[in-house]
Amino acid sequence: MAVTDTENPLLGETTCSSLLHKLQEIWDEVGENDEERDKMLLQIEKECLDVYKRKVEQAAKSRAQLLQALSDAKIELASLLSALGEKSIAGLGIPEKTSGTIKEQLAAIAPALEQLWKQKEERVKEFSDVQSQIQKICGEIAGNLSLGDQAPSVDESDLTLKKLDEYQAQLQELQKEKSDRLHKVLEFVSTVHDLCGVLGMDFFSTVTEVHPSLNDSTGVQSKSISNDTLARLAKTVLALKEDKKQRLHKLQELATQLIDLWNLMDTPSEERRLFDHVTCNISAYVDGVTVPGALALDLIEQAEVEVERLDQLKASRMKEIAFKRQGELEEIFARAHIEIDPVAAREKIMTLIDSGNVEPAELLADMDNQIAKAKEEAHSRKEILDKVEKWMSACEEESWLEDYNRVLRISLFLPLSFPVLPCIPVHESGCVDPWACLSC
């Protein structure tokens, strides 16, 4: 048989049977003995077995790899389902196929894995965003702003919606706490602003000492809301309120001294009005003083200087003021018809002032008491004095009528050129002086 006959005319290709037949023809033609032929056939059979064995081993290894891949895919699928809180891939809209060849099962799992991985990435991002916000707010509350710059550690073994809801609930609570703290901070800052305005202090430097973020001029967007900042703000407010209380007390003392000195020296109202901004708060409560600069240090110093000036002026005008009081006292006694020795009284005042043994305020207070008692005495005599005055007026009127009638009788004996009715001039005291008519 020719070599070309080794091809199977039915299959159209070379086969093992055709090759073996071709080999037999060659051995027949060569004259190989049976022993060599059997030996060679055994060798061919062994080589064929080795080839089949390798192929089987490769196929078995490939199947094992596919099975391992399928097992890993199922484990990964179960892990993703557990992490995402899904019960099965059916919930993702993917049919759950557990039968078929290994490759068919892998092909069925692949879309589910791809979708779960995508869903996991989205869920991890959601967790990361929420945890970043939580971490940032926790850092703000703790006073550690750098804490918010660190990347959060997301636990990828639990990415369920339930866990995400827990984080979101925690975030909402922290956001509310942040809002409450920010509200307290802004209230404190507003109070510090008002107090600094009343006290005439620099507001920006005051809040910057508490925390730089509280100063709007620094350009910092977020305010510090830590416990330390709140405590320092509260301490600052208490210190400013105490300072305000002390300054108001000092200012009220100075205002009282000013009014006493003004009253003592009869200071004109024009001069007093220059210190209306001091005396207007003489009876004010601490919370009632809200005008900016009302308790500034320079204003208090100005009032202190004025009190000192008036004290010095009081010493030089003491005699003048005392004599003025004495004159008022003498006038009251004169109207009440009470006899006193004004010369001795003035000498006594001079002696007391020159000796320096009595405070000017005490001397004037004593004289004010004497004036008050004199007024009471004059008031007690008023009824009697009114009756005496009426009696004297009646006597004067009766005397005037008698004089007038006498003048009228005399005029009857005078020449016609003499006035019939004499003039009736008025005396300087206000009474009609009948005797002045006789001089006409």
Side-chain angles (χ1 to χ4, degrees), residues 375-392:
K375 288 181 178 179
E376 291 178 2
E377 183 66 21
H379 182 72
S380 64
R381 296 187 176 199
K382 187 175 184 302
E383 185 177 357
I384 298 174
L385 292 174
D386 288 343
K387 291 180 179 180
V388 171
E389 186 176 352
K390 288 181 181 179
W391 178 77
M392 290 179 66

Side-chain angles (χ1 to χ4, degrees), residues 54-341:
R54 287 197 302 272
K55 294 298 182 181
V56 169
E57 289 176 354
Q58 291 176 359
K61 185 177 180 180
S62 176
R63 182 189 64 179
Q65 290 176 346
L66 289 174
L67 287 173
Q68 185 62 44
L70 179 60
S71 177
D72 292 343
K74 288 182 177 180
I75 292 173
E76 185 177 1
L77 181 65
S79 176
L80 288 172
L81 289 173
S82 175
L84 296 172
E86 299 288 346
K87 295 182 178 180
S88 65
I89 60 175
L92 303 175
I94 299 175
E96 187 174 3
K97 185 177 181 180
T98 57
S99 60
T101 63
I102 298 174
K103 290 186 177 181
E104 287 177 347
Q105 293 182 48
L106 281 173
I109 292 177
L113 285 175
E114 183 179 356
Q115 185 170 344
L116 287 173
W117 269 112
K118 184 178 180 181
Q119 186 174 344
K120 179 182 178 180
E121 291 177 358
E122 295 175 353
R123 193 72 59 82
V124 167
K125 186 176 182 303
E126 291 178 356
F127 271 80
S128 180
D129 291 342
V130 173
Q131 289 181 242
S132 295
Q133 296 181 59
I134 291 174
Q135 195 167 283
K136 181 179 179 181
I137 296 176
C138 288
E140 292 175 353
I141 293 175
N144 184 10
L145 298 180
S146 61
L147 188 62
D149 298 333
Q150 301 175 5
S153 177
V154 179
D155 181 12
E156 297 186 5
S157 64
D158 189 357
L159 300 173
T160 61
L161 291 176
K162 180 181 178 181
K163 190 66 175 180
L164 182 61
D165 291 340
E166 291 177 2
Y167 277 120
Q168 289 175 340
Q170 182 183 356
L171 176 60
Q172 290 179 355
E173 291 179 0
L174 288 172
Q175 286 174 337
K176 184 179 183 302
E177 182 179 355
K178 177 181 178 179
S179 177
D180 294 340
R181 285 171 173 264
L182 182 60
H183 183 67
K184 289 181 181 179
V185 167
L186 293 178
E187 280 186 347
F188 277 132
V189 170
S190 177
T191 303
V192 171
H193 179 271
D194 295 341
L195 289 171
C196 287
V198 174
L199 298 174
M201 298 173 62
D202 186 6
F203 163 71
F204 290 112
S205 63
T206 302
V207 294
T208 302
E209 290 180 2
V210 177
H211 198 278
S213 67
L214 302 179
N215 188 345
D216 291 334
S217 62
T218 59
V220 179
Q221 296 297 326
S222 59
K223 307 291 184 185
S224 175
I225 57 174
S226 65
N227 290 333
D228 180 64
T229 299
L230 286 171
R232 296 181 67 180
L233 276 173
K235 184 178 179 180
T236 301
V237 168
L238 287 177
L240 290 174
K241 285 185 176 180
E242 182 62 26
D243 194 10
K244 179 182 179 182
K245 181 180 178 181
Q246 293 178 0
R247 289 194 191 185
L248 178 61
H249 180 68
K250 178 66 175 178
L251 191 69
Q252 289 175 339
E253 287 182 346
L254 292 171
T256 302
Q257 294 177 29
L258 281 175
I259 292 175
D260 291 342
L261 289 169
W262 288 338
N263 294 336
L264 187 66
M265 295 185 290
D266 294 330
T267 304
S269 57
E270 292 79 8
E271 187 175 341
R272 298 187 184 198
R273 277 197 292 269
L274 297 176
F275 290 88
D276 282 347
H277 56 290
V278 176
T279 58
C280 66
N281 293 318
I282 192 170
S283 59
Y285 295 102
V286 175
D287 295 336
V289 181
T290 58
V291 178
L295 300 177
L297 286 177
D298 56 348
L299 186 145
I300 296 176
E301 292 173 358
Q302 180 186 3
E304 288 176 340
V305 171
E306 181 64 13
V307 168
E308 184 178 354
R309 185 186 73 83
L310 291 177
D311 274 333
Q312 295 175 356
L313 183 62
K314 177 185 70 175
S316 63
R317 294 185 56 191
M318 198 63 239
K319 292 181 181 179
E320 177 186 346
I321 297 170
F323 286 152
K324 185 176 180 180
R325 294 283 199 283
Q326 181 61 28
E328 184 180 351
L329 183 61
E330 292 172 1
E331 184 179 351
I332 295 172
F333 282 145
R335 288 199 302 267
H337 297 277
I338 299 175
E339 293 292 335
I340 61 171
D341 187 355

Side-chain angles (χ1 to χ4, degrees), residues 406-426:
R406 183 167 58 80
V407 172
L408 184 59
R409 285 195 299 271
I410 293 173
S411 66
L412 294 176
F413 300 99
L414 293 177
L416 294 176
S417 62
F418 198 86
V420 176
L421 295 176
C423 61
I424 308 175
V426 179

